[in-house]
Amino acid sequence: MTAASTAFFLDAGARGQRLCVHTPAASLDGAGAPLGQILLLPAFAEEMNKSRRMTALAARAFAAAGLEVLTLDLLGCGDSSGDFGDASWADWQDDARIAAAWLDGRALPGPDGAKPPLWLWGLRAGALLAPAAIEAVADRSVRLLLWQPVTTGKLQLQQFMRLRVAADLIGGQAKGAVQAMRDQLARGESVEIAGYRLSPALAHGLEAAQLKPSPRVSRVAWLELSTREDAGLTPAASMAVQAWQAQGAEVRAAVCQGPSFWAATEIEEAPRLIEASLAALTAGDDFATQPAVPPEAVAA
Protein backbone atom coordinates (compact mmCIF):
# COMPACT_ATOMS: atom_id res chain seq x y z
CA MET A 1 0.00 0.00 0.00
CA THR A 2 1.21 3.48 -0.82
CA ALA A 3 2.07 5.61 2.20
CA ALA A 4 0.21 8.88 2.66
CA SER A 5 1.54 11.97 0.92
CA THR A 6 3.18 14.62 3.07
CA ALA A 7 3.10 18.34 2.39
CA PHE A 8 6.03 20.45 3.57
CA PHE A 9 7.88 23.66 2.79
CA LEU A 10 11.27 23.39 1.11
CA ASP A 11 13.68 26.14 2.12
CA ALA A 12 14.78 28.33 -0.79
CA GLY A 13 16.95 30.61 1.34
CA ALA A 14 16.40 34.33 0.86
CA ARG A 15 13.80 33.51 -1.81
CA GLY A 16 11.41 32.06 0.77
CA GLN A 17 9.82 28.62 0.84
CA ARG A 18 8.33 26.25 -1.74
CA LEU A 19 5.33 24.12 -0.98
CA CYS A 20 6.10 20.50 -1.85
CA VAL A 21 4.13 17.27 -1.67
CA HIS A 22 6.16 14.11 -1.17
CA THR A 23 4.63 10.72 -1.93
CA PRO A 24 6.88 7.83 -0.87
CA ALA A 25 7.13 4.70 -2.96
CA ALA A 26 5.24 1.58 -2.05
CA SER A 27 7.63 -1.15 -0.96
CA LEU A 28 7.62 -3.78 -3.69
CA ASP A 29 10.75 -5.71 -2.70
CA GLY A 30 10.38 -5.82 1.07
CA ALA A 31 13.36 -3.51 1.53
CA GLY A 32 11.61 -0.23 0.87
CA ALA A 33 13.96 0.76 -1.96
CA PRO A 34 12.11 2.71 -4.69
CA LEU A 35 12.41 1.71 -8.32
CA GLY A 36 13.19 5.34 -9.05
CA GLN A 37 12.40 8.93 -8.14
CA ILE A 38 10.17 11.40 -9.97
CA LEU A 39 10.22 15.21 -9.82
CA LEU A 40 7.26 17.06 -11.29
CA LEU A 41 8.19 20.21 -13.22
CA PRO A 42 4.81 21.95 -13.37
CA ALA A 43 2.95 23.66 -16.18
CA PHE A 44 2.79 27.43 -16.63
CA ALA A 45 0.31 29.78 -14.94
CA GLU A 46 -3.33 28.63 -15.07
CA GLU A 47 -2.34 25.42 -16.87
CA MET A 48 -0.72 24.34 -13.59
CA ASN A 49 -3.95 24.87 -11.64
CA LYS A 50 -6.05 23.02 -14.22
CA SER A 51 -3.59 20.11 -14.03
CA ARG A 52 -3.55 19.62 -10.26
CA ARG A 53 -6.05 16.78 -10.17
CA MET A 54 -4.30 14.88 -12.95
CA THR A 55 -0.87 15.28 -11.38
CA ALA A 56 -2.20 14.19 -7.97
CA LEU A 57 -3.83 11.08 -9.46
CA ALA A 58 -0.67 10.26 -11.39
CA ALA A 59 1.60 10.78 -8.38
CA ARG A 60 -0.41 8.29 -6.34
CA ALA A 61 -0.37 5.77 -9.19
CA PHE A 62 3.39 6.18 -9.67
CA ALA A 63 4.04 5.74 -5.95
CA ALA A 64 1.89 2.61 -5.85
CA ALA A 65 4.08 1.21 -8.63
CA GLY A 66 7.18 1.68 -6.49
CA LEU A 67 8.40 5.18 -7.41
CA GLU A 68 9.02 8.10 -5.06
CA VAL A 69 7.36 11.33 -6.21
CA LEU A 70 7.94 15.00 -5.37
CA THR A 71 5.75 17.81 -6.65
CA LEU A 72 6.29 21.49 -5.91
CA ASP A 73 4.81 24.93 -6.39
CA LEU A 74 7.30 27.32 -7.97
CA LEU A 75 8.00 30.81 -6.61
CA GLY A 76 4.80 32.85 -6.73
CA CYS A 77 2.62 29.85 -7.54
CA GLY A 78 0.09 28.06 -5.34
CA ASP A 79 1.06 28.22 -1.68
CA SER A 80 4.74 28.94 -2.19
CA SER A 81 6.32 32.23 -1.14
CA GLY A 82 6.05 35.35 -3.26
CA ASP A 83 3.76 36.64 -5.97
CA PHE A 84 3.64 35.40 -9.56
CA GLY A 85 4.47 38.88 -10.77
CA ASP A 86 7.72 38.92 -8.80
CA ALA A 87 9.05 35.63 -10.21
CA SER A 88 11.76 35.38 -12.84
CA TRP A 89 12.68 32.43 -15.03
CA ALA A 90 15.99 32.23 -13.14
CA ASP A 91 14.01 31.87 -9.89
CA TRP A 92 12.09 28.93 -11.32
CA GLN A 93 15.28 27.33 -12.57
CA ASP A 94 16.67 27.59 -9.04
CA ASP A 95 13.48 25.99 -7.70
CA ALA A 96 13.96 23.05 -10.06
CA ARG A 97 17.55 22.69 -8.88
CA ILE A 98 16.79 22.69 -5.15
CA ALA A 99 13.92 20.21 -5.59
CA ALA A 100 16.12 17.88 -7.63
CA ALA A 101 18.89 18.20 -5.03
CA TRP A 102 16.42 17.37 -2.23
CA LEU A 103 15.39 14.17 -3.97
CA ASP A 104 18.99 13.36 -4.78
CA GLY A 105 19.88 13.65 -1.11
CA ARG A 106 17.33 10.96 -0.27
CA ALA A 107 18.51 8.49 -2.92
CA LEU A 108 20.43 5.48 -1.61
CA PRO A 109 22.79 3.50 -3.85
CA GLY A 110 21.72 0.00 -4.78
CA PRO A 111 23.82 -3.17 -4.62
CA ASP A 112 25.68 -2.03 -7.73
CA GLY A 113 26.58 1.29 -6.08
CA ALA A 114 24.35 3.34 -8.38
CA LYS A 115 21.42 5.46 -7.29
CA PRO A 116 18.01 4.66 -8.77
CA PRO A 117 17.05 6.60 -11.90
CA LEU A 118 15.65 10.10 -11.54
CA TRP A 119 12.70 10.89 -13.79
CA LEU A 120 12.01 14.55 -14.54
CA TRP A 121 8.28 14.77 -15.18
CA GLY A 122 7.82 17.78 -17.41
CA LEU A 123 4.23 18.93 -17.91
CA ARG A 124 3.82 21.34 -20.81
CA ALA A 125 6.27 24.26 -20.26
CA GLY A 126 7.60 22.49 -17.18
CA ALA A 127 9.74 20.48 -19.60
CA LEU A 128 11.78 23.65 -20.16
CA LEU A 129 13.00 23.48 -16.55
CA ALA A 130 14.54 20.03 -17.04
CA PRO A 131 18.02 21.33 -18.02
CA ALA A 132 18.28 23.21 -14.70
CA ALA A 133 17.23 20.14 -12.70
CA ILE A 134 19.77 18.01 -14.56
CA GLU A 135 22.52 20.41 -13.43
CA ALA A 136 21.74 19.59 -9.79
CA VAL A 137 22.28 15.83 -10.10
CA ALA A 138 25.66 15.33 -11.70
CA ASP A 139 26.06 11.65 -10.84
CA ARG A 140 22.59 10.35 -11.63
CA SER A 141 20.95 8.50 -14.46
CA VAL A 142 18.35 11.02 -15.64
CA ARG A 143 15.22 10.20 -17.61
CA LEU A 144 12.38 12.36 -18.92
CA LEU A 145 8.64 11.78 -18.69
CA LEU A 146 7.13 14.46 -20.90
CA TRP A 147 3.41 15.24 -20.98
CA GLN A 148 2.45 17.32 -24.03
CA PRO A 149 5.81 19.08 -23.76
CA VAL A 150 6.47 22.64 -24.85
CA THR A 151 10.09 22.58 -25.99
CA THR A 152 10.50 26.27 -26.87
CA GLY A 153 9.48 28.94 -24.40
CA LYS A 154 8.76 31.36 -27.22
CA LEU A 155 5.74 29.24 -28.17
CA GLN A 156 4.43 29.18 -24.59
CA LEU A 157 4.78 32.95 -24.28
CA GLN A 158 2.93 33.49 -27.56
CA GLN A 159 0.08 31.24 -26.43
CA PHE A 160 -0.12 33.05 -23.10
CA MET A 161 -0.26 36.46 -24.77
CA ARG A 162 -3.11 35.29 -26.98
CA LEU A 163 -5.25 35.03 -23.84
CA ARG A 164 -4.96 38.81 -23.52
CA VAL A 165 -5.71 39.22 -27.22
CA ALA A 166 -8.86 37.11 -26.87
CA ALA A 167 -10.03 39.26 -23.97
CA ASP A 168 -9.31 42.45 -25.92
CA LEU A 169 -11.24 41.12 -28.91
CA ILE A 170 -14.34 41.04 -26.76
CA GLY A 171 -13.70 44.65 -25.84
CA GLY A 172 -12.89 45.62 -29.42
CA GLN A 173 -9.29 46.58 -28.62
CA ALA A 174 -7.25 43.68 -30.01
CA LYS A 175 -5.40 45.58 -32.73
CA GLY A 176 -1.70 45.63 -31.95
CA ALA A 177 -2.25 43.99 -28.56
CA VAL A 178 0.70 41.60 -28.75
CA GLN A 179 3.13 44.29 -29.92
CA ALA A 180 1.87 46.61 -27.20
CA MET A 181 2.61 43.96 -24.57
CA ARG A 182 6.06 43.35 -26.00
CA ASP A 183 6.78 47.09 -25.98
CA GLN A 184 5.65 47.27 -22.36
CA LEU A 185 7.91 44.38 -21.37
CA ALA A 186 10.83 45.94 -23.27
CA ARG A 187 10.38 49.10 -21.17
CA GLY A 188 10.79 46.97 -18.05
CA GLU A 189 7.10 47.04 -17.18
CA SER A 190 4.96 44.06 -16.21
CA VAL A 191 1.79 43.17 -18.14
CA GLU A 192 -1.48 41.74 -16.89
CA ILE A 193 -2.71 38.63 -18.70
CA ALA A 194 -5.70 36.54 -17.60
CA GLY A 195 -5.29 37.63 -14.00
CA TYR A 196 -1.52 37.04 -13.91
CA ARG A 197 1.10 39.79 -13.68
CA LEU A 198 3.90 38.79 -16.05
CA SER A 199 7.27 40.39 -15.26
CA PRO A 200 9.89 41.18 -17.92
CA ALA A 201 12.34 38.84 -16.15
CA LEU A 202 9.94 35.92 -16.43
CA ALA A 203 8.80 36.74 -19.97
CA HIS A 204 12.28 37.16 -21.41
CA GLY A 205 13.66 34.09 -19.63
CA LEU A 206 10.75 31.95 -20.73
CA GLU A 207 11.01 33.16 -24.32
CA ALA A 208 14.67 32.15 -24.49
CA ALA A 209 14.19 28.73 -22.84
CA GLN A 210 14.54 25.55 -24.89
CA LEU A 211 14.59 21.83 -24.24
CA LYS A 212 17.25 20.27 -26.43
CA PRO A 213 18.58 16.70 -26.53
CA SER A 214 21.18 16.08 -23.83
CA PRO A 215 23.69 13.26 -23.43
CA ARG A 216 22.79 13.22 -19.73
CA VAL A 217 19.33 11.82 -20.53
CA SER A 218 19.18 8.08 -21.12
CA ARG A 219 15.44 7.62 -21.66
CA VAL A 220 12.58 9.82 -22.87
CA ALA A 221 8.88 8.98 -22.62
CA TRP A 222 7.16 11.54 -24.89
CA LEU A 223 3.39 11.34 -24.41
CA GLU A 224 0.72 13.55 -25.93
CA LEU A 225 -3.06 13.62 -25.83
CA SER A 226 -5.77 13.78 -28.47
CA THR A 227 -9.52 13.23 -28.45
CA ARG A 228 -9.04 11.08 -31.58
CA GLU A 229 -8.15 7.42 -31.11
CA ASP A 230 -6.07 7.27 -34.30
CA ALA A 231 -4.07 10.46 -33.81
CA GLY A 232 -0.32 10.46 -34.37
CA LEU A 233 2.50 12.73 -33.28
CA THR A 234 2.69 16.13 -34.91
CA PRO A 235 5.56 16.67 -37.39
CA ALA A 236 7.30 18.91 -34.85
CA ALA A 237 7.06 16.25 -32.14
CA SER A 238 8.31 13.56 -34.53
CA MET A 239 11.34 15.69 -35.38
CA ALA A 240 12.06 16.27 -31.69
CA VAL A 241 11.84 12.54 -30.97
CA GLN A 242 14.28 11.81 -33.80
CA ALA A 243 16.69 14.38 -32.37
CA TRP A 244 16.63 12.67 -28.96
CA GLN A 245 17.24 9.30 -30.61
CA ALA A 246 20.15 10.74 -32.56
CA GLN A 247 21.63 11.93 -29.27
CA GLY A 248 21.55 8.33 -28.04
CA ALA A 249 18.48 8.32 -25.80
CA GLU A 250 15.99 5.46 -25.78
CA VAL A 251 12.62 6.97 -26.69
CA ARG A 252 9.00 5.95 -26.32
CA ALA A 253 6.56 8.29 -28.04
CA ALA A 254 2.80 8.02 -28.39
CA VAL A 255 -0.49 9.85 -28.45
CA CYS A 256 -3.05 8.73 -25.87
CA GLN A 257 -6.74 9.37 -26.17
CA GLY A 258 -7.95 11.96 -23.70
CA PRO A 259 -8.79 15.64 -23.16
CA SER A 260 -6.36 18.54 -22.98
CA PHE A 261 -6.93 18.78 -19.24
CA TRP A 262 -4.51 21.71 -18.76
CA ALA A 263 -6.68 23.91 -20.98
CA ALA A 264 -10.18 22.55 -20.29
CA THR A 265 -12.94 24.74 -18.91
CA GLU A 266 -13.82 22.10 -16.30
CA ILE A 267 -11.40 19.85 -14.42
CA GLU A 268 -10.74 16.84 -16.67
CA GLU A 269 -8.98 13.49 -16.29
CA ALA A 270 -6.96 11.45 -18.80
CA PRO A 271 -6.50 7.99 -17.25
CA ARG A 272 -4.95 6.54 -20.41
CA LEU A 273 -2.10 9.00 -20.11
CA ILE A 274 -1.37 7.73 -16.59
CA GLU A 275 -1.47 4.12 -17.81
CA ALA A 276 0.97 4.85 -20.62
CA SER A 277 3.23 6.71 -18.18
CA LEU A 278 3.27 3.78 -15.77
CA ALA A 279 4.22 1.42 -18.59
CA ALA A 280 7.18 3.64 -19.45
CA LEU A 281 8.28 4.25 -15.86
CA THR A 282 8.36 0.55 -15.00
CA ALA A 283 9.77 -0.77 -18.28
CA GLY A 284 12.95 -2.82 -18.29
CA ASP A 285 15.55 -3.23 -20.99
CA ASP A 286 12.75 -3.41 -23.58
CA PHE A 287 11.86 0.27 -22.98
CA ALA A 288 12.31 1.40 -26.57
CA THR A 289 10.99 -1.73 -28.28
CA GLN A 290 7.65 -2.29 -26.56
CA PRO A 291 4.46 -0.41 -27.54
CA ALA A 292 4.50 3.08 -26.08
CA VAL A 293 0.83 2.82 -25.15
CA PRO A 294 -0.25 -0.40 -23.36
CA PRO A 295 -3.40 -2.20 -24.53
CA GLU A 296 -5.42 -0.97 -21.54
CA ALA A 297 -4.64 2.62 -22.53
CA VAL A 298 -6.13 2.28 -25.99
CA ALA A 299 -9.10 0.03 -25.28
CA ALA A 300 -12.41 1.44 -26.41
Side-chain angles (χ1 to χ4, degrees):
M1 176 179 292
T2 305
S5 299
T6 302
F8 68 98
F9 284 100
L10 184 62
D11 184 17
R15 300 183 306 115
Q17 296 179 317
R18 304 293 173 266
L19 178 69
C20 296
V21 177
H22 175 246
T23 308
S27 178
L28 301 181
D29 59 3
L35 299 176
Q37 296 176 305
I38 302 175
L39 172 61
L40 172 65
L41 302 173
F44 183 76
E46 193 61 20
E47 289 188 1
M48 179 193 73
N49 293 325
K50 290 292 182 67
S51 302
R52 284 194 185 276
R53 177 163 177 78
M54 265 296 292
T55 55
L57 290 172
R60 290 196 290 270
F62 298 162
L67 295 121
E68 181 182 16
V69 185
L70 182 69
T71 67
L72 83 156
D73 287 348
L74 301 168
L75 172 64
C77 300
D79 290 317
S80 286
S81 300
D83 295 323
F84 187 92
D86 298 326
S88 69
W89 186 250
D91 285 324
W92 286 2
Q93 289 176 309
D94 284 342
D95 290 348
R97 292 187 187 100
I98 63 172
W102 185 88
L103 268 179
D104 187 52
R106 293 177 51 86
L108 298 176
D112 60 354
K115 294 179 179 179
L118 173 65
W119 287 88
L120 300 177
W121 176 15
L123 172 55
R124 299 283 292 147
L128 297 167
L129 293 170
I134 291 172
E135 293 174 2
V137 288
D139 61 344
R140 296 291 296 275
S141 171
V142 179
R143 303 172 177 180
L144 299 182
L145 171 62
L146 303 178
W147 279 12
Q148 202 77 26
V150 176
T151 58
T152 61
K154 183 176 182 180
L155 177 60
Q156 179 69 67
L157 184 62
Q158 289 173 341
Q159 292 175 345
F160 190 53
M161 286 183 167
R162 288 190 192 117
L163 296 177
R164 170 74 173 269
V165 174
D168 288 347
L169 273 172
I170 297 175
Q173 301 175 336
K175 186 177 180 180
V178 171
Q179 188 57 51
M181 284 185 282
R182 289 191 175 279
D183 292 344
Q184 193 171 337
L185 291 167
R187 293 194 300 269
E189 303 171 4
S190 297
V191 297
E192 293 285 342
I193 301 175
Y196 289 87
R197 183 165 61 90
L198 178 68
S199 72
L202 181 53
H204 297 154
L206 172 62
E207 188 169 33
Q210 296 185 61
L211 176 64
K212 296 180 178 180
S214 166
R216 289 286 317 281
V217 176
S218 58
R219 289 185 176 183
V220 178
W222 184 299
L223 300 175
E224 300 189 347
L225 280 168
S226 174
T227 54
R228 291 171 43 208
E229 289 195 30
D230 59 346
L233 291 175
T234 64
S238 296
M239 290 180 62
V241 165
Q242 291 171 9
W244 280 101
Q245 291 171 326
Q247 182 64 60
E250 297 179 279
V251 182
R252 280 194 182 197
V255 178
C256 307
Q257 187 181 20
S260 301
F261 55 85
W262 60 88
T265 302
E266 302 294 333
I267 300 302
E268 298 275 6
E269 297 178 13
R272 297 177 185 179
L273 179 60
I274 297 176
E275 292 165 2
S277 300
L278 280 169
L281 292 167
T282 58
D285 294 338
D286 59 357
F287 176 83
T289 59
Q290 293 299 307
V293 180
E296 59 270 25
V298 296

